[in-house]
Amino acid sequence: MLRVPASSKVHPDLLTNTVYVPALLQSMMSSENKKHRLRSDKCKGDLVIDGSASVKWGLGWRERLLCTRCKYVGKHYKLYNEVQSSTRGRKAAQINVGSQIGVASTSIGNTGFLRILNTTYIIAPSPLLCKKQANKVNTAMKSLNERSMCDIKKNLVLKMPK
């Protein structure tokens, strides 16, 4: 197991557990390694995640890489998938929507969910973000349930003997 020396200067957020989509992380690493080599081919520094510039979006993260020797700083990459939407503004992360669907279908609730995340050393989303996401998910689930019940009623009426 790799351990970070206590004396090294690592941003504290980089010592927690974080959820990334591996394919997106791989794409970021590959792309930024190429750009770094093109910019300074003689640099022997390592590209590392810039913990001070990490951007949290619920359970999703946007990250960028920087070089430990030269002044190379990459662009930010979304390391989560987004939910497609026809509305304007920032799109929801699939992991945030999925977690709220899971919370809505169990008895633990948001408080219990956030407690579980914190005890697993995952930086939890803010309670306000969870509440907003829960409101959207619960509205969609209610609508889906109402449509489903309407279909069931129609099928029952059609199957009834006359």
Side-chain angles (χ1 to χ4, degrees), residues 30-46:
S30 177
S31 178
E32 291 301 314
N33 271 320
K34 287 176 189 171
K35 288 177 186 175
H36 179 239
R37 272 182 284 153
L38 286 173
R39 183 170 170 230
S40 46
D41 60 342
K42 298 209 186 322
C43 179
K44 299 292 185 201
D46 294 322

Side-chain angles (χ1 to χ4, degrees), residues 33-126:
N33 271 320
K34 287 176 189 171
K35 288 177 186 175
H36 179 239
R37 272 182 284 153
L38 286 173
R39 183 170 170 230
S40 46
D41 60 342
K42 298 209 186 322
C43 179
K44 299 292 185 201
D46 294 322
L47 289 180
V48 296
I49 293 176
D50 183 1
S52 64
S54 297
V55 180
K56 185 167 82 102
W57 183 231
L59 284 169
W61 289 86
R62 287 183 348 134
E63 300 285 7
R64 73 178 184 190
L65 299 176
L66 58 86
C67 181
T68 56
R69 288 203 181 168
C70 70
K71 295 188 186 294
Y72 180 80
V73 177
K75 68 173 190 164
H76 274 95
Y77 288 78
K78 291 177 189 167
L79 300 180
Y80 56 87
N81 291 316
E82 293 179 317
V83 174
Q84 294 306 311
S85 171
S86 58
T87 60
R88 292 174 50 174
R90 196 170 180 184
K91 292 180 175 60
Q94 281 181 351
I95 190 167
N96 296 334
V97 174
S99 65
Q100 281 305 313
I101 291 170
V103 166
S105 62
T106 64
S107 61
I108 64 168
N110 274 324
T111 303
F113 176 62
L114 296 178
R115 197 172 295 144
I116 290 169
L117 289 174
N118 285 327
T119 56
T120 58
Y121 217 54
I122 295 174
I123 299 173
S126 73

Side-chain angles (χ1 to χ4, degrees), residues 116-150:
I116 290 169
L117 289 174
N118 285 327
T119 56
T120 58
Y121 217 54
I122 295 174
I123 299 173
S126 73
L128 180 61
L129 178 85
C130 289
K131 185 177 188 290
K132 286 180 178 180
Q133 193 68 60
N135 288 341
K136 290 178 185 177
V137 165
N138 291 339
T139 301
M141 286 177 74
K142 180 182 174 191
S143 175
L144 182 67
N145 287 338
E146 287 172 350
R147 284 194 309 265
S148 175
M149 286 304 292
C150 185

Side-chain angles (χ1 to χ4, degrees), residues 150-160:
C150 185
D151 291 345
I152 291 169
K153 286 178 187 177
K154 286 178 185 175
N155 287 336
L156 285 173
V157 169
L158 292 173
K159 291 180 182 179
M160 288 180 73

